[in-house]
């Protein structure tokens, strides 16, 4: 019996969210019994694979092939579900990234497994098999019981610690057969913003709202983000007016994030905005209106004009680094 | 082009979430229900496609009779007909299975869902549905162009965007940029009253997950104010006190 975890790579590199999933799977293996097996798909070198062992993978199955360097939901779920069968896996763990969200449900359907996504707890076996997940875009949590024999769990990034276990490196080449007919969707072009920190995985996020008046003022947000090594985000109207790209829009109808630090500048704190950010560990609100609702949801607040207070904050951040 | 659009009936985004029956049920008292915002985008895109290349748009919901106002709204926006599968949607797998049972033999060229339902935020229905129907799935599309038997799409991926193609039939989920939602006009609202809404009984299905209880986040303590004239001190506090940088 095993706990299988999808070790997603980004251009051959395992991101933090992947290592969190590995450590999570290791913990699940301790709770449910069995070993922690990772499946890696695409060209990944041994040095990277050894990171998986370092963080809990007792066995690494590697499908090291050029044909699968680009993510493909059908092919990836085929490889993962075949591996789950041959490894007799009862729990399969994913990280709730865009790729994870595409491949986890297909894997669940081919294994006839129950699936819960957005999971933020280890399974509790005291009464069946229960996990906690976020619902209503962070406005609440649900304790969900999973009753099928095989279970698929997709965890929220930045919710679990990475534990170094230093397991021995045990790499096994995958034996799956994949041919051209399996690729129903065909990639034409991939464009990645280089050097930018992905918002869903960022530990620190600096976000701007309509209070910043216009895109020409965003250098303030970016300067602070650069000084702290943070990602940038924005409120819905800001992306609707094309001041910032849609990919930065957080909230109930945008991205839900869970960073360690969220600094909201010139954002009023509407319920739909708070829904997407309220799980952040520490929230700072900067707003010139002392009555702004954001102060009720924040840990720290500064009542002031963003254009006056930001230069001092940026300076302090730069001097610290 | 025959398109099926999956519609989830969700609480309005301004809803203050609370629970009843010992925190085991979502409190629907006074809650306004709407079409899931992403599903509105999917529906509008489906109409834009059929207006260009011809075809029909069917809206489908898995829900009890109380979801009919949302289904009628989908008809008013422009869907040709609608189907309601009469069951409480227990979880994403159940919903996907019911829709797969319905769509299985009907030869839809394209099935559209939203990126996620804003109530349970699973984001799982489209992938399960596609897999059950043995179809490809393309998540979070931000554009789609029909070129004969092929669709050219863009979608969000981790850290960027991807342009890709897929032959019909397939399942795709709508992401925000896909289009602007259409608002029903008077003629649409009148026409919706007489458009066909078929009610089908659900088929039995093994439900793999069930919500035992809900919790609300712990209330935040009081917000600590930092004087604007000493704003730079924020960095020291975040470092020494909050320990997040
Ligand atoms: C169905 C639906 C879904 C929605 N989903 C989302 C969502 O996902 N995400 C989202 O963000 N919103 C969402 N909204 C919109 C939401 O209701 C708010 O309208 C929006 O969040 C407001 O954005 P804002 O705070 O940037 O702008 P405003 O509400 O205009 O607030 C600007 C703030 O900046 C302050 N300010 C002005 N000048 C300065 C200055 N010089 N220095 C400092 N502060 C200043 C003001 O005091 C004010 O508090 C949704 C709305 C609906 C109806
Ligand atoms: C009273 C009530 C109680 C509920 N309790 C629960 C619960 O405890 N746990 C739970 O997981 N769900 C519950 N639901 C169902 C929930 O509304 C969703 O339909 C279902 O959970 C799928 O949600 P998801 O977040 O996984 O969907 P996602 O996978 O996020 O949805 C993606 C897309 O799938 C389609 N879709 C989703 N739901 C439906 C639907 N019902 N009909 C047609 N298309 C749909 C839409 O296109 C949507 O954009 C309940 C619903 C009601 C009315």
């Amino acid at each position: 019996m095993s706990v299988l975890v999808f070790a997603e790579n980004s251009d051959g590199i395992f991101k933090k969210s992947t290592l969190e999933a590995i450590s999570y799977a290791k913990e699940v293996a301790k709770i449910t019994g069995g070993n922690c097996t990772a499946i890696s798909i695409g060209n990944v070198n041994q040095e990277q694979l050894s990171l998986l062992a370092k963080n809990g993978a007792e066995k690494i199955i590697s499908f090291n092939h050029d044909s699968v360097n680009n993510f493909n939901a059908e092919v990836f779920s085929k490889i993962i579900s075949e591996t789950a069968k041959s490894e007799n896996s009862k729990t399969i763990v994913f990280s709730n990234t865009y790729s994870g969200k595409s491949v986890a449900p297909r894997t669940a359907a081919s294994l006839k497994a129950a699936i819960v996504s957005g999971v933020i707890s280890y399974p509790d076996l005291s009464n069946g098999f229960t996990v906690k997940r976020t619902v209503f875009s962070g406005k609440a949590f649900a304790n969900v019981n999973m009753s099928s024999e095989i279970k698929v769990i997709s965890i929220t990034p930045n919710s679990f610690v990475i534990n170094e276990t230093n397991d021995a490196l045990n790499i096994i080449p995958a034996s799956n057969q994949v041919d051209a007919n399996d690729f129903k969707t065909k990639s034409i072009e991939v464009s990645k913003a280089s050097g930018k920190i992905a918002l869903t995985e960022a530990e620190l996020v600096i976000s701007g709202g309509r209070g910043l008046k216009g895109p020409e003022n965003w250098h303030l947000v970016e300067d602070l983000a650069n000084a702290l090594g943070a990602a940038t985000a924005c409120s819905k109207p800001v992306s609707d007016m094309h001041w910032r790209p849609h990919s930065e829009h957080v909230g109930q109808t945008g991205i839900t994030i869970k960073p360690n630090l969220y600094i909201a500048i010139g954002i009023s704190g509407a319920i739909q905005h708070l829904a997407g950010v309220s799980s952040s560990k520490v929230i700072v609100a900067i707003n010139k209106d002392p009555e702004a609702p954001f102060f009720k949801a924040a840990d720290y607040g500064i009542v002031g004009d963003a254009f006056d207070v930001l230069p001092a904050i940026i300076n302090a951040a730069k001097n610290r680094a | 082009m025959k398109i099926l659009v999956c519609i989830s009936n969700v609480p309005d985004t301004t809803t203050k979430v609370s629970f009843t029956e010992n925190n085991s049920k979502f409190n629907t008292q006074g809650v306004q229900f709407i079409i899931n915002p992403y599903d509105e985008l999917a529906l509008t895109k489906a109409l834009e496609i059929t207006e260009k290349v011809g075809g029909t748009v069917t809206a489908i919901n898995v829900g009890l009779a109380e979801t009919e106002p949302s289904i009628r709204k989908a008809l008013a926006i422009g869907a040709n007909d609608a189907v309601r599968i009469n069951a409480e949607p227990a979880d994403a797998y159940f919903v996907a299975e019911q829709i797969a049972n319905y769509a299985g033999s009907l030869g839809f060229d394209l099935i559209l869902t939203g990126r996620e339902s804003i109530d349970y935020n699973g984001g799982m229905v489209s992938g399960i549905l596609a897999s059950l129907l043995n179809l490809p799935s393309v998540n979070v599309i931000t554009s789609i162009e029909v070129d004969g038997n092929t669709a050219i799409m863009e979608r969000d991926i981790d850290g960027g965007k991807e342009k890709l193609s897929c032959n019909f039939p397939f399942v795709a989920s709508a992401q925000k940029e896909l289009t602007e939602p259409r608002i029903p006009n008077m003629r649409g609202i009148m026409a919706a009253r007489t458009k066909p809404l078929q009610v089908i009984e659900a088929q039995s299905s093994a439900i793999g997950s069930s919500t035992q209880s809900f919790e609300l986040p712990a209330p935040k303590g009081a917000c600590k104010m930092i004087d604007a004239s000493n704003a730079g001190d924020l960095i020291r506090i975040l470092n020494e006190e909050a320990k997040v940088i």
Side-chain angles (χ1 to χ4, degrees):
Chain A
M1 198 170 87
S2 70
V3 174
L4 184 68
V5 48
F6 171 44
E8 175 188 345
N9 75 75
S10 168
D11 302 322
I13 305 291
F14 292 123
K15 296 175 295 182
K16 186 170 148 276
S17 56
T18 300
L19 302 181
E20 288 167 2
I22 302 287
S23 284
Y24 180 87
K26 174 77 159 199
E27 201 57 37
V28 176
K30 275 190 209 155
I31 297 170
T32 62
N35 77 348
C36 170
T37 302
I39 167 96
S40 166
I41 302 175
N43 279 148
V44 181
N45 66 27
Q46 176 139 349
E47 189 191 333
Q48 280 293 316
L49 290 175
S50 68
L51 280 179
L52 304 181
K54 193 174 163 199
N55 293 294
E58 290 151 78
K59 182 169 169 185
I60 299 162
I61 299 174
S62 173
F63 193 90
N64 203 327
H65 222 275
D66 286 339
S67 65
V68 284
N69 279 346
N70 264 345
F71 173 75
N72 181 294
E74 299 92 71
V75 174
F76 278 43
S77 57
K78 171 175 148 44
I79 296 171
I80 296 169
S81 44
E82 285 173 2
T83 308
K85 281 181 194 151
S86 61
E87 293 295 311
N88 189 23
S89 310
K90 296 292 179 248
T91 311
I92 300 111
V93 176
F94 293 86
S95 180
N96 222 14
T97 59
Y98 280 126
S99 314
K101 279 189 206 170
S102 311
V103 70
R106 296 193 69 104
T107 306
S110 34
L111 296 171
K112 301 269 168 277
I115 178 164
V116 179
S117 63
V119 170
I120 54 162
S121 80
Y122 296 110
D124 175 356
L125 303 194
S126 61
N127 190 4
F129 187 109
T130 308
V131 288
K132 187 184 288 195
R133 68 179 284 198
T134 311
V135 290
F136 297 103
S137 311
K139 289 182 196 170
F141 307 106
N143 295 303
V144 184
N145 189 272
M146 302 177 79
S147 55
S148 58
E149 190 199 0
I150 304 175
K151 299 159 184 86
V152 173
I153 293 175
S154 184
I155 63 169
T156 301
N158 215 11
S159 302
F160 296 95
V161 290
I162 299 170
N163 284 321
E164 283 198 12
T165 55
N166 295 315
D167 279 84
L169 186 59
N170 174 16
I171 304 173
I172 293 167
S175 56
N176 313 65
Q177 298 295 325
V178 169
D179 65 64
N181 281 334
D182 291 322
F183 291 83
K184 305 278 191 249
T185 54
K186 297 195 170 47
S187 187
I188 299 171
E189 192 184 345
V190 171
S191 50
K192 289 195 179 173
S194 60
K196 273 199 86 175
I197 299 165
L199 190 52
T200 42
E201 292 184 36
E203 292 187 24
L204 311 172
V205 175
I206 316 296
S207 187
R210 204 144 60 173
L212 283 172
K213 309 283 189 264
E216 66 280 6
N217 298 322
W218 239 261
H219 61 92
L220 291 167
V221 174
E222 281 172 344
D223 284 351
L224 182 56
N226 288 338
L228 293 173
T232 52
C234 68
S235 68
K236 179 171 185 284
V238 166
S239 70
D240 285 347
M241 293 182 292
H242 304 291
W243 295 1
R244 299 297 292 176
H246 284 294
S247 55
E248 285 197 0
H249 156 204
V250 293
Q252 187 149 15
T253 51
I255 296 173
T256 301
I257 54 170
K258 200 185 170 191
N260 293 340
L261 173 65
Y262 182 75
I263 302 186
I265 306 164
I267 303 177
S268 55
I271 187 167
Q272 299 96 344
H273 184 87
L274 295 178
V277 304
S278 58
S279 305
S280 309
K281 285 183 193 120
V282 172
I283 294 177
V284 178
I286 301 175
N287 199 303
K288 70 173 184 188
D289 173 10
E291 302 298 325
F294 224 128
F295 290 119
K296 291 202 177 69
D299 301 279
Y300 298 99
I302 300 177
V303 177
D305 189 310
F307 300 100
D308 295 337
V309 302
L310 277 175
I313 298 172
I314 293 166
N315 241 334
K318 280 187 181 155
N319 289 338
R320 170 191 156 264
Chain B
M1 175 96 24
K2 216 173 142 183
I3 307 180
L4 182 67
V5 181
C6 306
I7 304 280
S8 182
N9 182 52
V10 299
D12 179 277
T13 58
T14 56
T15 304
K16 289 232 167 19
V17 172
S18 68
F19 303 101
T20 57
E21 296 181 35
N22 212 1
N23 284 329
S24 68
K25 287 237 153 25
F26 172 63
N27 184 1
T28 55
Q29 190 90 48
V31 172
Q32 186 77 26
F33 279 82
I34 57 169
I35 298 180
N36 186 39
Y38 295 109
D39 304 352
E40 252 174 4
L41 301 183
L43 175 60
T44 306
K45 193 39 122 187
L47 295 169
E48 289 169 8
I49 291 173
T50 52
E51 281 158 12
K52 230 180 186 167
V53 303
T56 56
V57 176
T58 302
I60 188 166
N61 167 261
V62 180
L64 299 175
E66 71 229 18
T67 69
E68 288 200 1
S70 286
I71 303 177
R72 286 280 169 213
K73 186 171 173 204
L75 291 169
I77 292 171
N80 300 84
D81 62 343
V83 176
R84 181 171 66 81
I85 300 181
N86 188 31
E88 182 149 307
D91 70 355
Y93 205 113
F94 176 82
V95 169
E97 230 173 2
Q98 298 304 327
I99 298 173
N101 287 342
Y102 167 77
S105 57
L106 296 178
F108 288 100
D109 301 293
L110 177 63
I111 303 181
L112 288 173
T113 74
R115 178 190 97 180
E116 67 178 41
S117 181
I118 64 164
D119 51 0
Y120 289 86
N121 314 112
M124 297 288 130
V125 169
S126 61
I128 300 170
L129 175 61
S131 191
L132 292 173
L133 292 172
N134 209 6
L135 293 177
S137 44
V138 187
N139 269 23
V140 288
I141 60 168
T142 55
S143 75
I144 178 168
E145 294 296 335
V146 178
D147 181 6
N149 190 32
T150 306
I152 311 287
M153 292 163 277
E154 283 179 301
R155 69 161 157 195
D156 284 347
I157 56 171
D158 297 292
K161 274 204 176 289
E162 180 178 31
K163 190 172 173 187
L164 73 170
S165 72
C166 189
N167 288 348
F168 295 107
F170 64 92
V171 179
S173 75
Q175 167 73 316
K176 188 184 157 194
E177 281 164 77
L178 187 61
T179 186
E180 289 297 323
R182 227 176 248 189
I183 292 152
N185 58 25
M186 209 51 209
R187 243 182 76 213
I189 295 167
M190 297 303 285
R193 291 188 188 154
T194 52
K195 283 182 179 171
L197 194 176
Q198 192 188 352
V199 179
I200 301 176
E201 286 311 314
Q203 298 187 21
S204 75
S205 131
I207 294 163
S209 79
S210 59
T211 300
Q212 305 293 303
S213 62
F214 292 99
E215 294 169 22
L216 291 171
K220 279 263 173 198
C223 179
K224 256 191 171 169
M225 300 313 282
I226 298 161
D227 199 80
S229 61
N230 195 18
D233 203 33
L234 173 68
I235 297 297
R236 185 193 60 78
I237 293 171
L238 291 176
N239 176 256
E240 291 174 11
E241 188 180 296
K243 296 192 169 58
V244 285
I245 58 172

